Amino acid sequence: LLTLISLLPGLLISDNLVAKATNNSSIQIYNSPVQIFGLAPGTVKSFTFSISMPSEKVLVVLVSTAPVSFDIVSDSTHNVIFKTYTGSFYKVLTLTSGNYTVYVGDYLNMMVYGRFYIFYLPAPVGIADSGVQISNGKTTPYIEKFSEVIGIARIFNYSAENGSSLQLNTVLQINTNNHRQEELWLQDSIQIGKIFCWWRWPPGYYTVYRFLDNIWNFTNPTANISENLIRGSGYVKVDYSYNPPQTFYWYATSYYSFSTPITVILVINTTTENNAVLVRFGYINTTTNKPVWYDNVTIEVPGLQSAYLLVDGYNLTGSAISYDTELVFGGQGYGATVSFNQLNATLNLIYYNGTYFPPKAVLPYGSDTAETAVNLETIPGSSGYNVVTGYNITVPLQLKSAEPPNL
């Protein structure tokens, strides 16, 4: 558990993140497009990133407590590619392959805290609510709390080089009566791929899918899921790709035949009961229009005060991960990247907290999951957000309404 400290009105950052942001002069963070910074008066911080494609479109989004100088410099030519003085902006740039350094500096002689995103392919592609509204070149953070999230995907055409996934991801905020909090990352997804089906005739490799859920502990960078405090249809596994290894909760259903067109409606529901949080992972049966809860998970929390799903554009979790909710396509698992030969899908996100409502804003890229796609783009459609093969970046994505299923 991690105690939060208040830095400025409306901005909370965990104490270990403050240490990281203010003590390091140069930070390189992998597996996440979000970078945090804390600037003492008159100081500058640098962050590095690399572009591997010959030409890549890059989306840059900045949110900070005060205006800063923001420069992107090519490491090879030392040319300034982009420069601005502001505390709020978004911009789509086209960069060539190479290494780049972002310099963020205070020029108003004051303490400044903030974060920025640098999105580019490969990335989780679809729609993601990061708690940041972008409009007219400016960014506005906001907070959204809810008890249930619904991700609707209508997949019309699908062909991928290897296995893929469609993921509904969100962050569960848990507060206890001793003023501490935990952040758990919830994932409800489908995995799509080819497996040898001996039970079908003729036996052979067929495209199938299954439902799969995960729960990770994002309270701090080394936090784990305790098998003594969680109960469900699944079990706690160890991911040895982390140093030190991290535990997480995992469950998967049996396989189903996959063909297009197909409608997939994923649902994550949370409630509290005594000193426990109940998380239900499910999907909507499109014939009956009723939820099927394939995994009911109980998480014991001594001293539980409240719990809810959270989108927060002001803060990060204790492990420096965004409080975002995303419905995105990516690789099949364990950080895999997928290349699509063809994809045509329409996505929608819906929240529930007494009434159904859509996100205030969405971005075309997720920021929390490790699975990515190499050649997808999101464009606004007439009935939602269309995800198709391509490399363009469309922002802002104008909000589209969707009729929620009858739960």
Side-chain angles (χ1 to χ4, degrees), residues 67-142:
V68 295
S69 63
F70 189 95
D71 297 41
I72 299 178
V73 178
S74 168
D75 289 358
S76 59
T77 65
H78 303 292
N79 291 332
V80 177
I81 308 299
F82 176 77
K83 184 180 186 68
T84 189
Y85 294 90
T86 183
S88 167
F89 84 92
Y90 65 92
K91 184 79 172 179
V92 176
L93 306 172
T94 300
L95 301 179
T96 57
S97 61
N99 299 320
Y100 295 85
T101 299
V102 176
Y103 295 95
V104 184
D106 166 66
Y107 66 95
L108 297 177
N109 199 33
M110 61 187 299
M111 289 293 300
V112 183
Y113 299 93
R115 59 175 165 167
F116 65 90
Y117 301 83
I118 296 184
F119 296 104
Y120 54 91
L121 297 174
V125 182
I127 51 176
D129 182 359
S130 296
V132 179
Q133 197 159 19
I134 61 175
S135 180
N136 299 320
K138 299 294 183 180
T139 60
T140 305
Y142 59 87

Side-chain angles (χ1 to χ4, degrees), residues 14-326:
S14 59
D15 45 9
N16 71 314
L17 292 188
V18 172
K20 176 184 285 187
T22 55
N23 293 339
N24 293 329
S25 60
S26 180
I27 302 173
Q28 185 172 20
I29 301 176
Y30 299 94
N31 300 324
S32 176
V34 62
Q35 317 289 330
I36 60 169
F37 59 86
L39 299 174
T43 61
V44 176
K45 298 292 177 63
S46 64
F47 307 79
T48 61
F49 68 98
S50 299
I51 298 295
S52 58
M53 298 290 288
S55 180
E56 184 84 69
K57 290 184 181 297
V58 176
L59 171 61
V60 184
V61 180
L62 171 70
V63 179
S64 68
T65 57
V68 295
S69 63
F70 189 95
D71 297 41
I72 299 178
V73 178
S74 168
D75 289 358
S76 59
T77 65
H78 303 292
N79 291 332
V80 177
I81 308 299
F82 176 77
K83 184 180 186 68
T84 189
Y85 294 90
T86 183
S88 167
F89 84 92
Y90 65 92
K91 184 79 172 179
V92 176
L93 306 172
T94 300
L95 301 179
T96 57
S97 61
N99 299 320
Y100 295 85
T101 299
V102 176
Y103 295 95
V104 184
D106 166 66
Y107 66 95
L108 297 177
N109 199 33
M110 61 187 299
M111 289 293 300
V112 183
Y113 299 93
R115 59 175 165 167
F116 65 90
Y117 301 83
I118 296 184
F119 296 104
Y120 54 91
L121 297 174
V125 182
I127 51 176
D129 182 359
S130 296
V132 179
Q133 197 159 19
I134 61 175
S135 180
N136 299 320
K138 299 294 183 180
T139 60
T140 305
Y142 59 87
I143 294 175
E144 209 75 88
K145 298 178 182 180
F146 44 98
S147 62
E148 183 174 279
V149 57
I150 304 168
I152 304 172
R154 298 175 177 90
I155 305 174
F156 304 103
N157 294 293
Y158 171 92
S159 176
E161 290 292 329
N162 40 41
S164 68
S165 65
L166 171 69
Q167 306 180 9
L168 175 63
N169 305 320
T170 191
V171 178
L172 172 64
Q173 179 80 34
I174 299 175
N175 304 302
T176 66
N177 55 21
N178 58 358
H179 304 293
R180 293 180 177 269
Q181 68 182 41
E182 294 182 29
E183 300 97 31
L184 302 183
W185 188 69
L186 311 180
Q187 179 182 93
D188 187 5
S189 65
I190 62 167
Q191 284 184 325
I192 308 170
K194 288 187 175 182
I195 65 170
F196 188 83
C197 301
W198 57 266
W199 61 90
R200 298 186 60 173
W201 187 260
Y205 285 92
Y206 292 89
T207 301
V208 295
Y209 74 100
R210 65 176 178 176
F211 295 95
L212 182 148
D213 63 49
N214 275 200
I215 301 177
W216 291 76
N217 195 334
F218 279 4
T219 305
N220 64 63
T222 60
N224 284 286
I225 295 293
S226 172
E227 60 183 6
N228 298 322
L229 299 177
I230 192 167
R231 302 187 308 275
S233 299
Y235 58 95
V236 174
K237 300 178 67 173
V238 180
D239 188 341
Y240 291 98
S241 66
Y242 289 87
N243 186 20
Q246 287 188 264
T247 58
F248 65 100
Y249 175 87
W250 179 94
Y251 177 72
T253 68
S254 57
Y255 289 99
Y256 304 89
S257 178
F258 180 87
S259 62
T260 55
I262 184 173
T263 297
V264 178
I265 306 176
L266 301 169
V267 188
I268 300 175
N269 175 275
T270 60
T271 56
T272 58
E273 183 178 280
N274 299 323
N275 282 325
V277 180
L278 310 180
V279 180
R280 296 192 293 177
F281 295 97
Y283 59 91
I284 302 298
N285 183 313
T286 54
T287 300
T288 65
N289 208 31
K290 298 296 182 181
V292 177
W293 305 113
Y294 68 85
D295 194 11
N296 296 278
V297 181
T298 299
I299 305 167
E300 295 182 15
V301 184
L304 175 65
Q305 184 179 66
S306 63
Y308 42 82
L309 303 178
L310 179 64
V311 167
D312 190 339
Y314 294 93
N315 308 302
L316 298 178
T317 71
S319 56
I321 300 298
S322 295
Y323 280 99
D324 83 341
T325 294
E326 52 194 31

Side-chain angles (χ1 to χ4, degrees), residues 337-385:
T337 297
V338 60
S339 176
F340 285 89
N341 299 316
Q342 186 179 24
L343 182 68
N344 183 2
T346 299
L347 305 182
N348 284 285
L349 273 175
I350 300 173
Y351 303 146
Y352 180 80
N353 197 17
T355 59
Y356 292 102
F357 61 99
K360 284 187 174 70
V362 293
L363 296 173
Y365 301 123
S367 58
D368 285 357
T369 188
E371 288 72 49
T372 59
V374 73
N375 61 333
L376 294 181
E377 62 178 277
T378 303
I379 54 178
S382 59
S383 60
Y385 302 92

